[in-house]
Amino acid sequence: MSKDARERWILYALLIVAMSFPLLRPLGIPLKISKECKAAYDYIESLPEGSTVWIDFAYRGAAAPESDPQAYAVMTHFFKKNLKVCVFYCIAESGPYAKIVMETTAKEQNKKYGVDYIDLGYKPDLDAALNGMARDFRSIFPTDVTGKSVADFAITKDIKDVNSFAMFFVLHTGAPGIDSYFKQIESQFKKPLVAGMTAVNFPQLLPRFNAGQLKGMVSGVIGAAEYELLVKRPGRAVAGVDAQSLGHMLIAIAMIVGNIIYLRSSRTGTKGGN
Amino acid sequence: MLPEWLILWGGMAFTLMVWSFLWKTNFWYRFAENVFVGIGAAHFGVVVYHGTLVPNLFTPLGKGNTILLIPAVLGLLFLTRLMPRKYHWMSRYPMALTMGVAAGTALRGTIQGTLFPQITAMFKPLTTLDSWIVLIGLVTTVFYFIFSLEAKGVSKSIGQVGRFIMMIYFGASFGSTVMTRLSALLGRLQFIFGDVLHVMK
């Protein structure tokens, strides 16, 4: 094995050990609720009971470790607040994730399909779907995911257009995602938007929160853990905070050590910096 | 329906197959990759058929809504790309329509949904340190991209401040990327220790 490959493997091994250890023996690193996450919680908390809300599971398997805990926490909050939840996904692969989250949280909170929540399924071309739905809901969603008419469900029988929804929540990971909601929903109809997102999307969306275009943000595993604490449903995210923190620490140390070695080797004129 | 133990241990086996790529590209990694792509494509086809084509096309057509034949035919014209080259021109009509609709729906929303709100958000009273940092960051970063002005003297210095501000953003963005990648690893570790081995506390 080459020197490069050996050094890479040492880092991989250290990372796996550092992140596995707290999963087997939790450290209890304290967690502070961020203002963006608290804003999301407060906004949903302020909605009147019985309001209809929209949630888009816009994530694939690669983002599930971050988006799944967010989805569990937010769906729990929706149900605890007795909100009516319309579940949609703009990515076809999201269906199974949405179904598991929906059914688990509905069972925990004793909610009924068709009355308290509904699965509207997947539609391609998010911009066009939102644009059409905003003007005529049934032209885009004539049926639920099982093929039954939305007119036959208590939750959707009175939904006409975008004004039937009190809020839109997007579990954003990339494209298609929340950009379409800014373009088709928030800007044109002034409907409130709240987002859950992978940590990598947080810096890009922070200006939207500061500009008031997002009412709240739940970012990554840490955000999901904060939300789990807020809704008093500690789950996978809270359990993963220690591991995530140790992983970050290790990466930071590796970067510092790597740069010191690089600087020393460049000063002495030897080849280095790996 | 597959038994749960098979799903869990199968999931763990596929996780290890994908991780084996860290060593080097090998048969097991390629096997897992091909299975994933195959299942993904099949799942997508089934979801689109049952979730879109049936409720939004076949059922309304069956009820006599014949106007939907137009988008149906346009959609089928896309498939002429799979035919010999002399028929490819037919796919340009639905392509042009798709591009036109996409541009039309996006344009208004982009101006109203991104440009105006973000510019408006800049006009805030300069009463806090944050608002000063935002203003300086905005002006110097925009200055960096003024290419019609030769970068020397004061203009070069302003541009360099903008460059420094962008570096801070790139650093934050890279940090967030690391967080997301570690979360992916965390998800797999929780799956192995929690769901499969039941040793997670």
Side-chain angles (χ1 to χ4, degrees), chain A residues 23-24 65-66 123 184 199-200 208 213 236 244 248, chain B residues 51 56 105 113-114 118 176 179-180 183 190 195 201:
Chain A
L23 294 177
L24 307 173
E66 289 180 283
K123 295 291 170 203
Q184 307 301 337
V200 67
R208 303 283 196 168
Q213 288 186 280
R236 279 273 159 102
Q244 184 94 357
H248 293 171
Chain B
N56 294 69
T105 51
T114 301
Q118 287 301 306
S176 304
M179 276 176 88
T180 291
S183 300
Q190 286 185 326
D195 298 332
K201 288 187 180 171

mmCIF file with all atom_site columns, all heavy atoms in Angstrom, chain A residues 23-24 65-66 123 184 199-200 208 213 236 244 248, chain B residues 51 56 105 113-114 118 176 179-180 183 190 195 201:
data_model
loop_
_atom_site.group_PDB
_atom_site.id
_atom_site.type_symbol
_atom_site.label_atom_id
_atom_site.label_alt_id
_atom_site.label_comp_id
_atom_site.label_asym_id
_atom_site.label_entity_id
_atom_site.label_seq_id
_atom_site.pdbx_PDB_ins_code
_atom_site.Cartn_x
_atom_site.Cartn_y
_atom_site.Cartn_z
_atom_site.occupancy
_atom_site.B_iso_or_equiv
_atom_site.pdbx_formal_charge
_atom_site.auth_seq_id
_atom_site.auth_comp_id
_atom_site.auth_asym_id
_atom_site.auth_atom_id
_atom_site.pdbx_PDB_model_num
ATOM 1   N N   . LEU A 1 23  ? -21.904 6.292  19.959  1.00 0.00 ? 23  LEU A N   1
ATOM 2   C CA  . LEU A 1 23  ? -23.165 5.588  19.701  1.00 0.00 ? 23  LEU A CA  1
ATOM 3   C C   . LEU A 1 23  ? -23.326 4.420  20.675  1.00 0.00 ? 23  LEU A C   1
ATOM 4   O O   . LEU A 1 23  ? -24.432 4.062  21.078  1.00 0.00 ? 23  LEU A O   1
ATOM 5   C CB  . LEU A 1 23  ? -23.214 5.064  18.259  1.00 0.00 ? 23  LEU A CB  1
ATOM 6   C CG  . LEU A 1 23  ? -23.265 6.120  17.150  1.00 0.00 ? 23  LEU A CG  1
ATOM 7   C CD1 . LEU A 1 23  ? -23.242 5.455  15.783  1.00 0.00 ? 23  LEU A CD1 1
ATOM 8   C CD2 . LEU A 1 23  ? -24.512 6.987  17.274  1.00 0.00 ? 23  LEU A CD2 1
ATOM 9   N N   . LEU A 1 24  ? -22.174 3.830  21.047  1.00 0.00 ? 24  LEU A N   1
ATOM 10  C CA  . LEU A 1 24  ? -22.208 2.703  21.987  1.00 0.00 ? 24  LEU A CA  1
ATOM 11  C C   . LEU A 1 24  ? -22.185 3.187  23.429  1.00 0.00 ? 24  LEU A C   1
ATOM 12  O O   . LEU A 1 24  ? -22.695 2.532  24.331  1.00 0.00 ? 24  LEU A O   1
ATOM 13  C CB  . LEU A 1 24  ? -21.010 1.777  21.722  1.00 0.00 ? 24  LEU A CB  1
ATOM 14  C CG  . LEU A 1 24  ? -20.864 1.295  20.269  1.00 0.00 ? 24  LEU A CG  1
ATOM 15  C CD1 . LEU A 1 24  ? -19.566 0.538  20.077  1.00 0.00 ? 24  LEU A CD1 1
ATOM 16  C CD2 . LEU A 1 24  ? -22.040 0.424  19.879  1.00 0.00 ? 24  LEU A CD2 1
ATOM 17  N N   . PRO A 1 65  ? -30.174 10.393 6.394   1.00 0.00 ? 65  PRO A N   1
ATOM 18  C CA  . PRO A 1 65  ? -29.702 10.523 7.785   1.00 0.00 ? 65  PRO A CA  1
ATOM 19  C C   . PRO A 1 65  ? -29.959 11.902 8.386   1.00 0.00 ? 65  PRO A C   1
ATOM 20  O O   . PRO A 1 65  ? -30.102 12.034 9.589   1.00 0.00 ? 65  PRO A O   1
ATOM 21  C CB  . PRO A 1 65  ? -28.192 10.262 7.670   1.00 0.00 ? 65  PRO A CB  1
ATOM 22  C CG  . PRO A 1 65  ? -28.042 9.434  6.446   1.00 0.00 ? 65  PRO A CG  1
ATOM 23  C CD  . PRO A 1 65  ? -29.102 9.918  5.503   1.00 0.00 ? 65  PRO A CD  1
ATOM 24  N N   . GLU A 1 66  ? -30.011 12.938 7.546   1.00 0.00 ? 66  GLU A N   1
ATOM 25  C CA  . GLU A 1 66  ? -30.308 14.282 8.048   1.00 0.00 ? 66  GLU A CA  1
ATOM 26  C C   . GLU A 1 66  ? -31.793 14.599 7.955   1.00 0.00 ? 66  GLU A C   1
ATOM 27  O O   . GLU A 1 66  ? -32.383 15.156 8.882   1.00 0.00 ? 66  GLU A O   1
ATOM 28  C CB  . GLU A 1 66  ? -29.520 15.322 7.241   1.00 0.00 ? 66  GLU A CB  1
ATOM 29  C CG  . GLU A 1 66  ? -28.047 15.305 7.521   1.00 0.00 ? 66  GLU A CG  1
ATOM 30  C CD  . GLU A 1 66  ? -27.316 16.347 6.707   1.00 0.00 ? 66  GLU A CD  1
ATOM 31  O OE1 . GLU A 1 66  ? -27.106 16.107 5.496   1.00 0.00 ? 66  GLU A OE1 1
ATOM 32  O OE2 . GLU A 1 66  ? -26.945 17.370 7.254   1.00 0.00 ? 66  GLU A OE2 1
ATOM 33  N N   . LYS A 1 123 ? -45.129 14.184 -8.194  1.00 0.00 ? 123 LYS A N   1
ATOM 34  C CA  . LYS A 1 123 ? -45.410 14.802 -9.497  1.00 0.00 ? 123 LYS A CA  1
ATOM 35  C C   . LYS A 1 123 ? -44.096 15.316 -10.072 1.00 0.00 ? 123 LYS A C   1
ATOM 36  O O   . LYS A 1 123 ? -43.295 15.917 -9.354  1.00 0.00 ? 123 LYS A O   1
ATOM 37  C CB  . LYS A 1 123 ? -46.371 15.989 -9.365  1.00 0.00 ? 123 LYS A CB  1
ATOM 38  C CG  . LYS A 1 123 ? -47.759 15.624 -8.880  1.00 0.00 ? 123 LYS A CG  1
ATOM 39  C CD  . LYS A 1 123 ? -48.555 14.832 -9.876  1.00 0.00 ? 123 LYS A CD  1
ATOM 40  C CE  . LYS A 1 123 ? -49.833 14.301 -9.239  1.00 0.00 ? 123 LYS A CE  1
ATOM 41  N NZ  . LYS A 1 123 ? -50.378 13.141 -9.920  1.00 0.00 ? 123 LYS A NZ  1
ATOM 42  N N   . GLN A 1 184 ? -42.649 29.999 -7.036  1.00 0.00 ? 184 GLN A N   1
ATOM 43  C CA  . GLN A 1 184 ? -44.063 29.768 -7.364  1.00 0.00 ? 184 GLN A CA  1
ATOM 44  C C   . GLN A 1 184 ? -45.023 30.029 -6.206  1.00 0.00 ? 184 GLN A C   1
ATOM 45  O O   . GLN A 1 184 ? -46.198 30.258 -6.439  1.00 0.00 ? 184 GLN A O   1
ATOM 46  C CB  . GLN A 1 184 ? -44.257 28.320 -7.859  1.00 0.00 ? 184 GLN A CB  1
ATOM 47  C CG  . GLN A 1 184 ? -43.341 27.906 -8.990  1.00 0.00 ? 184 GLN A CG  1
ATOM 48  C CD  . GLN A 1 184 ? -43.474 28.780 -10.228 1.00 0.00 ? 184 GLN A CD  1
ATOM 49  O OE1 . GLN A 1 184 ? -44.503 29.427 -10.447 1.00 0.00 ? 184 GLN A OE1 1
ATOM 50  N NE2 . GLN A 1 184 ? -42.426 28.842 -11.039 1.00 0.00 ? 184 GLN A NE2 1
ATOM 51  N N   . ALA A 1 199 ? -27.217 20.094 6.044   1.00 0.00 ? 199 ALA A N   1
ATOM 52  C CA  . ALA A 1 199 ? -26.327 21.148 6.553   1.00 0.00 ? 199 ALA A CA  1
ATOM 53  C C   . ALA A 1 199 ? -25.636 21.893 5.424   1.00 0.00 ? 199 ALA A C   1
ATOM 54  O O   . ALA A 1 199 ? -25.398 23.098 5.518   1.00 0.00 ? 199 ALA A O   1
ATOM 55  C CB  . ALA A 1 199 ? -25.291 20.535 7.492   1.00 0.00 ? 199 ALA A CB  1
ATOM 56  N N   . VAL A 1 200 ? -25.344 21.182 4.335   1.00 0.00 ? 200 VAL A N   1
ATOM 57  C CA  . VAL A 1 200 ? -24.623 21.806 3.223   1.00 0.00 ? 200 VAL A CA  1
ATOM 58  C C   . VAL A 1 200 ? -25.426 22.953 2.597   1.00 0.00 ? 200 VAL A C   1
ATOM 59  O O   . VAL A 1 200 ? -24.858 23.880 2.020   1.00 0.00 ? 200 VAL A O   1
ATOM 60  C CB  . VAL A 1 200 ? -24.235 20.739 2.161   1.00 0.00 ? 200 VAL A CB  1
ATOM 61  C CG1 . VAL A 1 200 ? -25.448 20.172 1.474   1.00 0.00 ? 200 VAL A CG1 1
ATOM 62  C CG2 . VAL A 1 200 ? -23.258 21.294 1.157   1.00 0.00 ? 200 VAL A CG2 1
ATOM 63  N N   . ARG A 1 208 ? -32.077 33.935 2.948   1.00 0.00 ? 208 ARG A N   1
ATOM 64  C CA  . ARG A 1 208 ? -33.537 33.877 2.769   1.00 0.00 ? 208 ARG A CA  1
ATOM 65  C C   . ARG A 1 208 ? -34.236 34.025 4.118   1.00 0.00 ? 208 ARG A C   1
ATOM 66  O O   . ARG A 1 208 ? -35.279 34.651 4.215   1.00 0.00 ? 208 ARG A O   1
ATOM 67  C CB  . ARG A 1 208 ? -33.941 32.528 2.157   1.00 0.00 ? 208 ARG A CB  1
ATOM 68  C CG  . ARG A 1 208 ? -33.286 32.207 0.846   1.00 0.00 ? 208 ARG A CG  1
ATOM 69  C CD  . ARG A 1 208 ? -33.914 32.966 -0.282  1.00 0.00 ? 208 ARG A CD  1
ATOM 70  N NE  . ARG A 1 208 ? -33.557 32.394 -1.575  1.00 0.00 ? 208 ARG A NE  1
ATOM 71  C CZ  . ARG A 1 208 ? -34.154 32.715 -2.711  1.00 0.00 ? 208 ARG A CZ  1
ATOM 72  N NH1 . ARG A 1 208 ? -35.117 33.608 -2.726  1.00 0.00 ? 208 ARG A NH1 1
ATOM 73  N NH2 . ARG A 1 208 ? -33.773 32.156 -3.828  1.00 0.00 ? 208 ARG A NH2 1
ATOM 74  N N   . GLN A 1 213 ? -37.944 35.560 3.983   1.00 0.00 ? 213 GLN A N   1
ATOM 75  C CA  . GLN A 1 213 ? -38.591 34.654 3.032   1.00 0.00 ? 213 GLN A CA  1
ATOM 76  C C   . GLN A 1 213 ? -38.807 33.265 3.624   1.00 0.00 ? 213 GLN A C   1
ATOM 77  O O   . GLN A 1 213 ? -39.663 32.524 3.167   1.00 0.00 ? 213 GLN A O   1
ATOM 78  C CB  . GLN A 1 213 ? -37.742 34.538 1.764   1.00 0.00 ? 213 GLN A CB  1
ATOM 79  C CG  . GLN A 1 213 ? -37.765 35.787 0.911   1.00 0.00 ? 213 GLN A CG  1
ATOM 80  C CD  . GLN A 1 213 ? -37.033 35.544 -0.384  1.00 0.00 ? 213 GLN A CD  1
ATOM 81  O OE1 . GLN A 1 213 ? -35.795 35.594 -0.443  1.00 0.00 ? 213 GLN A OE1 1
ATOM 82  N NE2 . GLN A 1 213 ? -37.770 35.267 -1.435  1.00 0.00 ? 213 GLN A NE2 1
ATOM 83  N N   . ARG A 1 236 ? -33.267 9.581  16.753  1.00 0.00 ? 236 ARG A N   1
ATOM 84  C CA  . ARG A 1 236 ? -31.966 9.291  16.160  1.00 0.00 ? 236 ARG A CA  1
ATOM 85  C C   . ARG A 1 236 ? -31.041 10.512 16.126  1.00 0.00 ? 236 ARG A C   1
ATOM 86  O O   . ARG A 1 236 ? -29.828 10.379 16.265  1.00 0.00 ? 236 ARG A O   1
ATOM 87  C CB  . ARG A 1 236 ? -32.159 8.780  14.734  1.00 0.00 ? 236 ARG A CB  1
ATOM 88  C CG  . ARG A 1 236 ? -32.524 7.303  14.666  1.00 0.00 ? 236 ARG A CG  1
ATOM 89  C CD  . ARG A 1 236 ? -31.263 6.474  14.658  1.00 0.00 ? 236 ARG A CD  1
ATOM 90  N NE  . ARG A 1 236 ? -31.503 5.104  15.068  1.00 0.00 ? 236 ARG A NE  1
ATOM 91  C CZ  . ARG A 1 236 ? -31.586 4.065  14.247  1.00 0.00 ? 236 ARG A CZ  1
ATOM 92  N NH1 . ARG A 1 236 ? -31.474 4.252  12.966  1.00 0.00 ? 236 ARG A NH1 1
ATOM 93  N NH2 . ARG A 1 236 ? -31.761 2.858  14.724  1.00 0.00 ? 236 ARG A NH2 1
ATOM 94  N N   . GLN A 1 244 ? -21.601 13.058 15.875  1.00 0.00 ? 244 GLN A N   1
ATOM 95  C CA  . GLN A 1 244 ? -21.371 14.134 14.907  1.00 0.00 ? 244 GLN A CA  1
ATOM 96  C C   . GLN A 1 244 ? -20.317 15.110 15.450  1.00 0.00 ? 244 GLN A C   1
ATOM 97  O O   . GLN A 1 244 ? -19.405 15.516 14.734  1.00 0.00 ? 244 GLN A O   1
ATOM 98  C CB  . GLN A 1 244 ? -22.699 14.865 14.657  1.00 0.00 ? 244 GLN A CB  1
ATOM 99  C CG  . GLN A 1 244 ? -22.649 15.929 13.609  1.00 0.00 ? 244 GLN A CG  1
ATOM 100 C CD  . GLN A 1 244 ? -23.066 15.423 12.226  1.00 0.00 ? 244 GLN A CD  1
ATOM 101 O OE1 . GLN A 1 244 ? -23.331 14.253 12.052  1.00 0.00 ? 244 GLN A OE1 1
ATOM 102 N NE2 . GLN A 1 244 ? -23.097 16.297 11.268  1.00 0.00 ? 244 GLN A NE2 1
ATOM 103 N N   . HIS A 1 248 ? -16.645 16.007 13.866  1.00 0.00 ? 248 HIS A N   1
ATOM 104 C CA  . HIS A 1 248 ? -16.199 17.364 13.510  1.00 0.00 ? 248 HIS A CA  1
ATOM 105 C C   . HIS A 1 248 ? -14.858 17.695 14.161  1.00 0.00 ? 248 HIS A C   1
ATOM 106 O O   . HIS A 1 248 ? -13.974 18.280 13.537  1.00 0.00 ? 248 HIS A O   1
ATOM 107 C CB  . HIS A 1 248 ? -17.233 18.405 13.975  1.00 0.00 ? 248 HIS A CB  1
ATOM 108 C CG  . HIS A 1 248 ? -18.524 18.306 13.231  1.00 0.00 ? 248 HIS A CG  1
ATOM 109 N ND1 . HIS A 1 248 ? -19.645 19.002 13.596  1.00 0.00 ? 248 HIS A ND1 1
ATOM 110 C CD2 . HIS A 1 248 ? -18.877 17.564 12.158  1.00 0.00 ? 248 HIS A CD2 1
ATOM 111 C CE1 . HIS A 1 248 ? -20.625 18.711 12.762  1.00 0.00 ? 248 HIS A CE1 1
ATOM 112 N NE2 . HIS A 1 248 ? -20.186 17.840 11.889  1.00 0.00 ? 248 HIS A NE2 1
ATOM 113 N N   . GLY B 2 51  ? -48.417 7.287  -10.404 1.00 0.00 ? 51  GLY B N   1
ATOM 114 C CA  . GLY B 2 51  ? -48.639 8.580  -9.746  1.00 0.00 ? 51  GLY B CA  1
ATOM 115 C C   . GLY B 2 51  ? -48.941 9.726  -10.683 1.00 0.00 ? 51  GLY B C   1
ATOM 116 O O   . GLY B 2 51  ? -49.522 10.732 -10.280 1.00 0.00 ? 51  GLY B O   1
ATOM 117 N N   . ASN B 2 56  ? -53.362 11.563 -14.134 1.00 0.00 ? 56  ASN B N   1
ATOM 118 C CA  . ASN B 2 56  ? -53.364 12.827 -14.885 1.00 0.00 ? 56  ASN B CA  1
ATOM 119 C C   . ASN B 2 56  ? -53.542 12.654 -16.389 1.00 0.00 ? 56  ASN B C   1
ATOM 120 O O   . ASN B 2 56  ? -53.767 13.635 -17.091 1.00 0.00 ? 56  ASN B O   1
ATOM 121 C CB  . ASN B 2 56  ? -52.071 13.609 -14.626 1.00 0.00 ? 56  ASN B CB  1
ATOM 122 C CG  . ASN B 2 56  ? -51.960 14.076 -13.197 1.00 0.00 ? 56  ASN B CG  1
ATOM 123 O OD1 . ASN B 2 56  ? -51.786 13.263 -12.297 1.00 0.00 ? 56  ASN B OD1 1
ATOM 124 N ND2 . ASN B 2 56  ? -52.098 15.359 -12.959 1.00 0.00 ? 56  ASN B ND2 1
ATOM 125 N N   . THR B 2 105 ? -42.314 29.994 -16.427 1.00 0.00 ? 105 THR B N   1
ATOM 126 C CA  . THR B 2 105 ? -42.681 29.832 -15.011 1.00 0.00 ? 105 THR B CA  1
ATOM 127 C C   . THR B 2 105 ? -41.547 30.282 -14.101 1.00 0.00 ? 105 THR B C   1
ATOM 128 O O   . THR B 2 105 ? -41.782 30.771 -13.006 1.00 0.00 ? 105 THR B O   1
ATOM 129 C CB  . THR B 2 105 ? -43.049 28.372 -14.676 1.00 0.00 ? 105 THR B CB  1
ATOM 130 O OG1 . THR B 2 105 ? -42.019 27.518 -15.137 1.00 0.00 ? 105 THR B OG1 1
ATOM 131 C CG2 . THR B 2 105 ? -44.373 27.962 -15.285 1.00 0.00 ? 105 THR B CG2 1
ATOM 132 N N   . GLY B 2 113 ? -39.053 36.287 -6.601  1.00 0.00 ? 113 GLY B N   1
ATOM 133 C CA  . GLY B 2 113 ? -38.747 35.407 -5.469  1.00 0.00 ? 113 GLY B CA  1
ATOM 134 C C   . GLY B 2 113 ? -37.316 35.458 -4.996  1.00 0.00 ? 113 GLY B C   1
ATOM 135 O O   . GLY B 2 113 ? -37.008 34.999 -3.896  1.00 0.00 ? 113 GLY B O   1
ATOM 136 N N   . THR B 2 114 ? -36.414 35.966 -5.825  1.00 0.00 ? 114 THR B N   1
ATOM 137 C CA  . THR B 2 114 ? -34.999 36.002 -5.413  1.00 0.00 ? 114 THR B CA  1
ATOM 138 C C   . THR B 2 114 ? -34.427 37.412 -5.485  1.00 0.00 ? 114 THR B C   1
ATOM 139 O O   . THR B 2 114 ? -33.951 37.958 -4.491  1.00 0.00 ? 114 THR B O   1
ATOM 140 C CB  . THR B 2 114 ? -34.159 35.048 -6.295  1.00 0.00 ? 114 THR B CB  1
ATOM 141 O OG1 . THR B 2 114 ? -34.683 33.735 -6.152  1.00 0.00 ? 114 THR B OG1 1
ATOM 142 C CG2 . THR B 2 114 ? -32.712 35.046 -5.867  1.00 0.00 ? 114 THR B CG2 1
ATOM 143 N N   . GLN B 2 118 ? -34.099 39.835 -2.045  1.00 0.00 ? 118 GLN B N   1
ATOM 144 C CA  . GLN B 2 118 ? -32.728 39.892 -1.539  1.00 0.00 ? 118 GLN B CA  1
ATOM 145 C C   . GLN B 2 118 ? -32.166 41.317 -1.605  1.00 0.00 ? 118 GLN B C   1
ATOM 146 O O   . GLN B 2 118 ? -31.430 41.743 -0.716  1.00 0.00 ? 118 GLN B O   1
ATOM 147 C CB  . GLN B 2 118 ? -31.832 38.928 -2.325  1.00 0.00 ? 118 GLN B CB  1
ATOM 148 C CG  . GLN B 2 118 ? -32.087 37.456 -2.000  1.00 0.00 ? 118 GLN B CG  1
ATOM 149 C CD  . GLN B 2 118 ? -31.874 37.139 -0.530  1.00 0.00 ? 118 GLN B CD  1
ATOM 150 O OE1 . GLN B 2 118 ? -30.833 37.419 0.032   1.00 0.00 ? 118 GLN B OE1 1
ATOM 151 N NE2 . GLN B 2 118 ? -32.880 36.562 0.128   1.00 0.00 ? 118 GLN B NE2 1
ATOM 152 N N   . SER B 2 176 ? -20.014 23.110 6.176   1.00 0.00 ? 176 SER B N   1
ATOM 153 C CA  . SER B 2 176 ? -21.356 22.517 6.103   1.00 0.00 ? 176 SER B CA  1
ATOM 154 C C   . SER B 2 176 ? -21.346 21.240 5.274   1.00 0.00 ? 176 SER B C   1
ATOM 155 O O   . SER B 2 176 ? -22.061 20.289 5.570   1.00 0.00 ? 176 SER B O   1
ATOM 156 C CB  . SER B 2 176 ? -22.337 23.503 5.482   1.00 0.00 ? 176 SER B CB  1
ATOM 157 O OG  . SER B 2 176 ? -22.323 24.695 6.198   1.00 0.00 ? 176 SER B OG  1
ATOM 158 N N   . MET B 2 179 ? -20.141 18.515 7.388   1.00 0.00 ? 179 MET B N   1
ATOM 159 C CA  . MET B 2 179 ? -21.221 18.094 8.294   1.00 0.00 ? 179 MET B CA  1
ATOM 160 C C   . MET B 2 179 ? -22.166 17.117 7.618   1.00 0.00 ? 179 MET B C   1
ATOM 161 O O   . MET B 2 179 ? -22.553 16.096 8.174   1.00 0.00 ? 179 MET B O   1
ATOM 162 C CB  . MET B 2 179 ? -22.039 19.313 8.753   1.00 0.00 ? 179 MET B CB  1
ATOM 163 C CG  . MET B 2 179 ? -21.458 20.042 9.924   1.00 0.00 ? 179 MET B CG  1
ATOM 164 S SD  . MET B 2 179 ? -22.431 21.498 10.305  1.00 0.00 ? 179 MET B SD  1
ATOM 165 C CE  . MET B 2 179 ? -23.645 20.822 11.397  1.00 0.00 ? 179 MET B CE  1
ATOM 166 N N   . THR B 2 180 ? -22.549 17.451 6.368   1.00 0.00 ? 180 THR B N   1
ATOM 167 C CA  . THR B 2 180 ? -23.487 16.590 5.640   1.00 0.00 ? 180 THR B CA  1
ATOM 168 C C   . THR B 2 180 ? -22.874 15.229 5.344   1.00 0.00 ? 180 THR B C   1
ATOM 169 O O   . THR B 2 180 ? -23.526 14.198 5.494   1.00 0.00 ? 180 THR B O   1
ATOM 170 C CB  . THR B 2 180 ? -23.930 17.294 4.331   1.00 0.00 ? 180 THR B CB  1
ATOM 171 O OG1 . THR B 2 180 ? -24.753 18.401 4.690   1.00 0.00 ? 180 THR B OG1 1
ATOM 172 C CG2 . THR B 2 180 ? -24.716 16.373 3.428   1.00 0.00 ? 180 THR B CG2 1
ATOM 173 N N   . SER B 2 183 ? -22.809 13.194 8.373   1.00 0.00 ? 183 SER B N   1
ATOM 174 C CA  . SER B 2 183 ? -24.156 12.742 8.696   1.00 0.00 ? 183 SER B CA  1
ATOM 175 C C   . SER B 2 183 ? -24.502 11.469 7.925   1.00 0.00 ? 183 SER B C   1
ATOM 176 O O   . SER B 2 183 ? -25.200 10.591 8.434   1.00 0.00 ? 183 SER B O   1
ATOM 177 C CB  . SER B 2 183 ? -25.187 13.816 8.358   1.00 0.00 ? 183 SER B CB  1
ATOM 178 O OG  . SER B 2 183 ? -24.919 14.977 9.077   1.00 0.00 ? 183 SER B OG  1
ATOM 179 N N   . GLN B 2 190 ? -25.524 4.263  12.558  1.00 0.00 ? 190 GLN B N   1
ATOM 180 C CA  . GLN B 2 190 ? -26.728 4.060  13.375  1.00 0.00 ? 190 GLN B CA  1
ATOM 181 C C   . GLN B 2 190 ? -27.532 2.865  12.859  1.00 0.00 ? 190 GLN B C   1
ATOM 182 O O   . GLN B 2 190 ? -28.104 2.119  13.636  1.00 0.00 ? 190 GLN B O   1
ATOM 183 C CB  . GLN B 2 190 ? -27.591 5.325  13.369  1.00 0.00 ? 190 GLN B CB  1
ATOM 184 C CG  . GLN B 2 190 ? -27.004 6.436  14.234  1.00 0.00 ? 190 GLN B CG  1
ATOM 185 C CD  . GLN B 2 190 ? -27.900 7.654  14.329  1.00 0.00 ? 190 GLN B CD  1
ATOM 186 O OE1 . GLN B 2 190 ? -28.588 7.998  13.384  1.00 0.00 ? 190 GLN B OE1 1
ATOM 187 N NE2 . GLN B 2 190 ? -27.881 8.328  15.462  1.00 0.00 ? 190 GLN B NE2 1
ATOM 188 N N   . ASP B 2 195 ? -30.070 -0.737 14.157  1.00 0.00 ? 195 ASP B N   1
ATOM 189 C CA  . ASP B 2 195 ? -31.106 -1.583 13.545  1.00 0.00 ? 195 ASP B CA  1
ATOM 190 C C   . ASP B 2 195 ? -30.662 -3.040 13.387  1.00 0.00 ? 195 ASP B C   1
ATOM 191 O O   . ASP B 2 195 ? -31.448 -3.955 13.567  1.00 0.00 ? 195 ASP B O   1
ATOM 192 C CB  . ASP B 2 195 ? -31.510 -1.012 12.173  1.00 0.00 ? 195 ASP B CB  1
ATOM 193 C CG  . ASP B 2 195 ? -32.107 0.371  12.293  1.00 0.00 ? 195 ASP B CG  1
ATOM 194 O OD1 . ASP B 2 195 ? -32.689 0.656  13.346  1.00 0.00 ? 195 ASP B OD1 1
ATOM 195 O OD2 . ASP B 2 195 ? -31.990 1.166  11.338  1.00 0.00 ? 195 ASP B OD2 1
ATOM 196 N N   . LYS B 2 201 ? -26.863 2.591  22.281  1.00 0.00 ? 201 LYS B N   1
ATOM 197 C CA  . LYS B 2 201 ? -27.568 2.997  23.510  1.00 0.00 ? 201 LYS B CA  1
ATOM 198 C C   . LYS B 2 201 ? -28.329 4.287  23.259  1.00 0.00 ? 201 LYS B C   1
ATOM 199 O O   . LYS B 2 201 ? -27.908 5.125  22.511  1.00 0.00 ? 201 LYS B O   1
ATOM 200 C CB  . LYS B 2 201 ? -26.567 3.184  24.634  1.00 0.00 ? 201 LYS B CB  1
ATOM 201 C CG  . LYS B 2 201 ? -26.026 1.840  25.105  1.00 0.00 ? 201 LYS B CG  1
ATOM 202 C CD  . LYS B 2 201 ? -25.166 1.988  26.325  1.00 0.00 ? 201 LYS B CD  1
ATOM 203 C CE  . LYS B 2 201 ? -24.654 0.626  26.769  1.00 0.00 ? 201 LYS B CE  1
ATOM 204 N NZ  . LYS B 2 201 ? -23.662 0.698  27.802  1.00 0.00 ? 201 LYS B NZ  1
#
